[in-house]
Amino acid sequence: MTVALSWSHNIDRVVTAVDTDLNSGLADREVAFRQQRFSNVVEMGKPINPWRIMLNQFIDTMVLVLLGATVISGIIGDMADALTIMTIVVINALLGFFQEYRAERSLEAIKKMAAPEATVIRSGQKLKIPAVGLVPGDLVLLESGDKVPADLRLVVSSTLEMDESALTGESVPVEKRSAVVCAQDCPLADRVNMAFMGTSVTRGRGRGVVVGTGMNTVMGEIAGMMMETKTEMTPLQMKLDSLGKVLIVICLAVCLVVTLLGIARGEDIMTMFMAGISLAVAAIPEGLPAIVTVVLALGVQRMAKRNAIVRKLPAVETLGCTTVICSDKTGTLTCNQMTVKKVATYNQVLEVEGEGYSVAGNLVDSQGHLVKPQGDLEVLMDIALNCNNSDLKQINGDYKVLGDPTEAALVVMAAKTGQRNRAAILREIPFDSERKMMSVVVEAGAPRLLVKGALEIIIGACSFVIKGTQVARITAADRDHFLKMQATWATGALRVLGFAYRALPPGWEAMPDEQLERNLVLVGMCGMIDPPRTGTARAVRMCSNAGIVPVMITGDHPQTAAAIAREIGISQNREVVTGPEIDRLSDQELYNRTINNRVFARVSPQHKNRIVNVLKSKNQVVAMTGDGVNDAPAIKAADIGITMGISGTQVSKEASAMILADDDFSTIVEAVYQGRAIYDNIRKFIRYLLGCNIGEVLVMLLASLMGLPLPLLPIQLLWVNLVTDGLPAMALGIEAPEPRIMKRPPRPKNEGIFAHGLGWTIFGRGVYIAIITITAFLVGYTWGRMNGADGLPLARSLALTTLVLGQLFYVFECRSERLSPFELGFFSNRYLIGAVLVSLCMQLSVLYIPALQTIFKTVPLGGWEWLLIILLGGFRLLWKLLAYVLADNLRLGRSPVRI
């Protein structure tokens, strides 16, 4: 019995369709019958199961690898390693649990927006009932402050205005008119004869017939879309998952080969078994998930300092591969503060400086000269201030405006000229949609009527015009002068208001409203707009340079959207795609229009959701911003959902991955910058960890293939793992962003973690580390045998130290894939310098402290051994230093070479 397209039907047809009575409402018996068929509850799907969410954290491939490493470490008696790995697993699981649990609460937040009670007429009686008991056909009464309990087709409206910002994105209350019949394809924001569940009455009274309940409301449709949205793995999660699977296969295969070769060569079976297990523990980079988590968490801290509050850790990395940013206009690209930009009297047109609710600013003429209000301009400012119900308050140094945004802009304009003293109001004729103007009578020496409103209406009520200080009878040319100026201003999406006044005769108190608003004196006009935020245009340029497509999606008027888009550089194309047009486009056409036109206006929640899904289907990585309930499905569907911290609803915040504390588009671009830097750092420590681990595996494998004794004992393998895998890798994770990081195009969503030759770089360095370690082992073993002693202790000490220092030298090369550590500034990462020094001291302790020598089976090293180790381990880094110094000193008319 819900009425489809009820906004496009007249009241009689809707009443007939729901079979109700406009005077007495539904009978109690009919209500009971309909309640069996209809529910006014927004369904939330399956209830959240915290235990299931927690268990899901332990089925990730990398986590299973770590759990296996924990068991193995316990078997071989390495309880310290086992406890460390288990701690990493538990911390990661808890972080994942809290992030996923919070995300699932977004649907529950929608439920809280529903009105708890409703005032209805049933069987001729006025009743207050729980809103869940409403059925189609119920007659609902609305008053200022009420929440709408269901979707209503209004049948009565008296100066009724609704706050629909959470649903449509409109920042200004919407005036409702029950008598209007809208077109079938009318956008949600223009359905002025409807009241929607979850919106609020800001002014006036009304009465409506329920035409949609529960899941058949606009709010219900949004909840349905959110339930349909499936959570997908982020690019980083997919890459780490595949990496974990590859590591399992490779590590097990190599460890098995090493063990079997050693046994075949006659080595002790238990020794080789322990060596194989130790190699498996050393080969698996158990620190990788922990370092990823810590690096992402540090990124969260940095972003929070820049007003980007990240709710889901993987979102930090995903930001780095964002290709499209879909942004709401109001409050994100603009200030969400109506601002008067131009003011005109008959003789002058002036610019109004300053933005938003700041009273700092002046009136300037076309030459940039300051203008002090006099004559007609002073009268205009007097009308702007007094024919106004808004107020300007200074709180903690900031100016706050209480009241309608349009009137607030006029109060701020008057304050900029020094007009702040208000006259006493003797009578008010409120604004309504029929008259399209507001009037007040003030005591200004003598009673005077002050009027503001739509210019074309006010001009028709004017018999005179003021020019400077002289009042003259208005002519057709005078009217034409102002109307042409209004048309010019409208092309820049300025909202125009006219101003007029009238000196009242004695006995005005008895005059009706219509008679008062005649024979007015036209004073002038002003043009206002919600201006772009400072820095937005620069942020849009940064997006273009970084290969990111910015897209504006707004519920505002197409003309306003186009003007703002041109001003900030999103699109110079005047063509705006509207909601009804989206319905007529195929997915491919919509994708093309999104990438080329980049501006959408008058869109519904379904349109936003479709735009996001079409972009994702074309392998775009989409960041979607919003603040209302209408934005929540698209926010949840996007790769990165972003909501506003100041104006955002709880529903949109719960659905989002990131919250902008300052509601500023520039903050998103800053977050993308940080996201790219974080992904770079993740690649850096993966390069380091895997290069080192491959080196360790190849040392053991090559020694077995060459028929050599074990070059490293099991305890020495575990020591290398402890000394080199932790602190240096962590320090790489906090490397500063590289220069020109926002000049690169976004990386493809499906780009592998080893793209751009990283895999070969890692393997090559692993081979190099293995070769120098085997070389050091052979030199030590040969030297010891030549001196008639057991060469293994010296050989293993040399191999152990070469392996450790080779990795510590290697960590500096991993600081960048494009620049040498000397171009970056060798000492610029102080954390890395400290980490390397700590690791070096740990290695020295096992060589020179007798108690540790016994445990790790090492011997002290002398001068020639250290020279050999430094030459082998540091050869590549020393070569790069030499090349850098030569290039810098020769000054061949170019900057130092990248090596």
Side-chain angles (χ1 to χ4, degrees):
M1 192 176 289
T2 54
V3 185
L5 305 174
S6 52
W7 58 88
S8 64
H9 304 315
N10 60 36
I11 293 172
D12 291 339
R13 184 172 175 183
V14 172
V15 170
T16 302
V18 295
D19 192 17
T20 191
D21 187 288
L22 289 183
N23 295 314
S24 60
L26 294 174
D28 292 339
R29 181 180 298 177
E30 181 65 20
V31 169
F33 173 71
R34 295 187 185 188
Q35 283 177 340
Q36 296 175 12
R37 299 172 55 200
F38 302 100
S39 169
N40 194 32
V41 175
V42 177
E43 296 173 9
M44 298 294 111
K46 295 180 181 178
I48 299 171
N49 187 333
W51 293 108
R52 182 179 295 275
I53 294 174
M54 176 59 83
L55 287 174
N56 286 341
Q57 308 307 313
F58 292 95
I59 60 174
D60 177 76
T61 305
M62 202 68 192
V63 172
L64 293 175
V65 171
L66 295 182
L67 289 174
T70 305
V71 173
I72 293 171
S73 297
I75 290 172
I76 65 176
D78 187 5
M79 296 309 297
D81 227 22
L83 288 172
T84 301
I85 299 170
M86 199 63 211
T87 302
I88 290 168
V89 171
V90 171
I91 291 173
N92 282 337
L94 289 173
L95 286 171
F97 168 77
F98 286 120
Q99 291 157 16
E100 191 172 335
Y101 183 73
R102 283 194 305 188
E104 293 299 327
R105 286 169 49 201
S106 58
L107 282 169
E108 292 188 348
I110 282 187
K111 197 171 185 177
K112 294 177 182 177
M113 293 195 66
E117 294 182 319
T119 304
V120 300
I121 295 177
R122 286 178 176 171
S123 299
Q125 301 295 315
K126 182 178 177 182
L127 306 169
K128 182 162 279 192
I129 64 168
V132 294
L134 287 174
V135 294
D138 259 325
L139 197 58
V140 178
L141 305 181
L142 298 174
E143 292 185 355
S144 180
D146 286 349
K147 266 193 173 182
V148 180
D151 280 5
L152 312 177
R153 171 59 165 92
L154 295 170
V155 295
V156 174
S157 59
S158 176
T159 62
L160 182 65
E161 291 186 359
M162 312 285 296
D163 177 7
E164 296 182 344
S165 58
L167 202 60
T168 65
E170 281 278 10
S171 57
V172 179
V174 179
E175 183 187 358
K176 295 295 182 177
R177 289 170 284 168
S178 58
V180 171
V181 177
C182 303
Q184 287 189 7
D185 62 354
C186 178
L188 185 69
D190 290 337
R191 296 172 193 170
V192 295
N193 56 9
M194 296 288 294
F196 301 106
M197 176 189 273
T199 60
S200 302
V201 180
T202 59
R203 181 184 177 197
R205 293 176 291 105
R207 181 178 296 193
V209 174
V210 175
V211 292
T213 59
M215 297 304 288
N216 291 317
T217 62
V218 173
M219 191 76 72
E221 291 175 12
I222 292 171
M225 285 189 288
M226 292 180 70
M227 284 192 287
E228 291 170 5
T229 302
K230 296 179 180 178
T231 304
E232 299 177 359
M233 294 178 72
T234 68
L236 179 63
Q237 287 173 323
M238 289 187 287
K239 290 159 192 168
L240 289 180
D241 187 64
S242 61
L243 175 61
K245 292 172 182 175
V246 171
L247 286 176
I248 290 174
V249 175
I250 294 175
C251 288
L252 291 178
V254 171
C255 294
L256 182 62
V257 169
V258 169
T259 303
L260 293 176
L261 286 174
I263 294 171
R265 199 174 57 248
E267 297 279 358
D268 178 68
I269 293 177
M270 184 53 66
T271 301
M272 290 310 303
F273 177 71
M274 295 293 288
I277 291 177
S278 300
L279 182 58
V281 173
I284 294 172
E286 72 274 5
L288 182 58
I291 295 169
V292 169
T293 300
V294 171
V295 168
L296 293 177
L298 291 172
V300 167
Q301 289 184 357
R302 287 200 298 269
M303 289 183 183
K305 292 176 182 177
R306 293 167 172 81
N307 295 314
I309 301 167
V310 177
R311 298 179 66 250
K312 301 173 187 175
L313 280 183
V316 178
E317 174 270 334
T318 312
L319 276 164
C321 56
T322 300
T323 58
V324 179
I325 300 177
C326 297
S327 175
D328 190 21
K329 176 186 70 68
T330 305
T332 308
L333 297 170
T334 64
C335 300
N336 196 21
Q337 296 176 345
M338 293 298 288
T339 305
V340 177
K341 303 302 289 183
K342 291 186 177 182
V343 61
T345 59
Y346 189 86
N347 294 320
Q348 54 187 342
V349 179
L350 305 174
E351 300 283 338
V352 183
E353 295 180 329
E355 292 182 356
Y357 294 156
S358 169
V359 298
N362 298 285
L363 302 182
V364 296
D365 59 21
S366 58
Q367 306 300 316
H369 301 135
L370 299 184
V371 176
K372 183 176 176 61
Q374 294 179 336
D376 50 7
L377 190 58
E378 188 174 11
V379 174
L380 188 150
M381 295 299 163
D382 184 55
I383 299 170
L385 178 64
N386 289 293
C387 187
N388 198 313
N389 288 319
S390 288
D391 202 6
L392 187 67
K393 300 287 186 184
Q394 190 170 14
I395 303 173
N396 297 327
D398 294 326
Y399 284 95
K400 304 291 183 183
V401 174
L402 308 175
D404 179 81
T406 299
E407 292 193 327
L410 299 178
V411 173
V412 172
M413 175 185 69
K416 288 176 180 178
T417 65
Q419 289 264 29
R420 296 193 185 180
N421 296 322
R422 288 184 145 162
I425 295 178
L426 307 178
R427 179 172 167 182
E428 178 179 338
I429 309 173
F431 176 89
D432 68 49
S433 58
E434 300 299 325
R435 294 168 39 255
K436 292 188 177 180
M437 56 184 180
M438 170 187 175
S439 303
V440 294
V441 178
V442 297
E443 184 65 58
R448 176 181 282 194
L449 181 76
L450 308 180
V451 185
K452 76 169 190 295
L455 179 65
E456 62 275 16
I457 301 298
I458 285 181
I459 279 183
C462 288
S463 301
F464 305 92
V465 61
I466 184 170
K467 302 177 180 179
T469 58
Q470 302 299 315
V471 176
R473 185 163 289 279
I474 196 167
T475 65
D478 295 332
R479 291 190 176 95
D480 217 29
H481 169 76
F482 283 101
L483 292 174
K484 283 182 178 178
M485 197 184 309
Q486 179 186 28
T488 302
W489 287 7
T491 60
L494 291 180
R495 182 179 180 185
V496 177
L497 287 179
F499 301 88
Y501 74 95
R502 176 188 177 186
L504 295 176
W508 63 269
E509 296 92 343
M511 295 171 64
D513 293 348
E514 299 80 15
Q515 190 176 348
L516 277 178
E517 293 177 332
R518 295 177 185 168
N519 299 318
L520 303 178
V521 179
L522 181 62
V523 179
M525 56 193 271
C526 75
M528 64 180 69
I529 196 171
D530 179 12
R533 285 178 175 269
T534 303
T536 299
R538 175 178 172 274
V540 169
R541 284 195 302 273
M542 287 180 66
C543 282
S544 299
N545 292 336
I548 300 170
V549 177
V551 177
M552 179 195 293
I553 305 177
T554 179
D556 213 335
H557 292 280
Q559 197 173 36
T560 305
I564 295 295
R566 285 197 303 273
E567 186 172 349
I568 63 179
I570 284 182
S571 175
Q572 297 305 315
N573 190 332
R574 291 179 177 271
E575 190 175 354
V576 177
V577 184
T578 62
E581 288 180 73
I582 294 174
D583 294 328
R584 297 190 290 268
L585 297 175
S586 68
D587 285 355
Q588 184 60 50
E589 289 171 331
L590 178 57
Y591 176 75
N592 293 338
R593 296 289 290 275
T594 303
I595 298 300
N596 296 323
N597 293 110
R598 304 185 180 184
V599 184
F600 294 87
R602 285 298 191 234
V603 294
S604 69
Q606 290 85 350
H607 295 142
K608 293 184 178 185
N609 204 39
R610 186 182 169 204
I611 291 168
V612 169
N613 287 321
V614 165
L615 287 168
K616 288 177 67 178
S617 71
K618 301 293 184 181
N619 288 322
Q620 301 287 353
V621 179
V622 185
M624 173 73 196
T625 76
D627 55 7
V629 180
N630 61 318
D631 300 318
I635 287 173
K636 191 172 183 182
D639 297 288
I640 301 292
I642 304 170
T643 194
M644 307 298 116
I646 299 172
S647 61
T649 60
Q650 189 62 29
V651 178
S652 60
K653 289 178 181 177
E654 293 289 356
S656 66
M658 187 172 81
I659 298 173
L660 302 184
D662 56 1
D663 291 11
D664 194 342
F665 180 82
S666 303
T667 304
I668 304 173
V669 180
E670 175 65 29
V672 171
Y673 170 76
Q674 292 294 335
R676 289 189 175 190
I678 286 166
Y679 185 74
D680 272 7
N681 289 352
I682 289 173
R683 277 175 61 95
K684 289 170 187 176
F685 62 67
I686 285 177
R687 175 186 175 186
Y688 171 69
L689 285 175
L690 295 189
C692 294
N693 289 10
I694 287 173
E696 294 164 19
V697 170
L698 289 179
V699 166
M700 303 299 287
L701 179 61
L702 289 175
S704 296
L705 292 173
M706 295 168 67
L708 298 174
L710 283 178
L712 295 169
L713 296 172
I715 195 170
Q716 292 173 337
L717 272 173
L718 295 173
W719 175 254
V720 173
N721 197 44
L722 175 66
V723 171
T724 61
D725 275 12
L727 292 176
M730 191 73 73
L732 275 180
I734 53 178
E735 183 75 33
E738 293 182 26
R740 300 181 63 82
I741 196 171
M742 287 298 281
K743 297 291 184 181
R744 306 180 206 159
R747 69 181 187 279
K749 184 177 183 178
N750 55 359
E751 179 181 283
I753 198 90
F754 300 116
H756 309 295
L758 182 62
W760 289 110
T761 300
I762 290 171
F763 182 74
R765 189 58 198 224
V767 170
Y768 177 78
I769 289 173
I771 290 172
I772 62 172
T773 304
I774 292 292
T775 301
F777 176 80
L778 289 172
V779 170
Y781 189 60
T782 304
W783 181 262
R785 296 292 292 271
M786 287 173 58
N787 287 287
D790 181 6
L792 279 177
L794 175 61
R796 285 172 175 157
S797 298
L798 267 172
L800 173 65
T801 309
T802 302
L803 183 58
V804 169
L805 262 69
Q807 293 182 12
L808 294 182
F809 280 120
Y810 175 48
V811 74
F812 289 101
E813 297 178 49
C814 293
R815 290 181 60 195
S816 173
E817 297 177 44
R818 298 166 178 82
L819 304 171
S820 77
F822 307 104
E823 289 175 287
L824 292 172
F826 192 81
F827 297 100
S828 57
N829 187 340
R830 292 175 296 175
Y831 299 103
L832 183 60
I833 298 295
V836 169
L837 289 175
V838 170
S839 296
L840 181 60
C841 289
M842 291 173 68
Q843 177 59 24
L844 292 175
S845 68
V846 301
L847 293 174
Y848 296 107
I849 296 177
L852 295 178
Q853 288 174 354
T854 304
I855 295 172
F856 289 97
K857 306 295 188 293
T858 59
V859 296
L861 300 178
W864 74 266
E865 290 102 332
W866 276 109
L867 180 62
L868 175 67
I869 291 168
I870 291 172
L871 286 175
L872 289 174
F875 174 76
R876 287 171 61 94
L877 192 65
L878 293 171
W879 176 259
K880 289 190 175 189
L881 174 61
L882 178 62
Y884 176 80
V885 171
L886 287 174
D888 195 34
N889 289 340
L890 291 174
R891 300 189 182 280
L892 299 175
R894 55 182 172 84
S895 60
V897 293
R898 294 185 178 183
I899 38 185

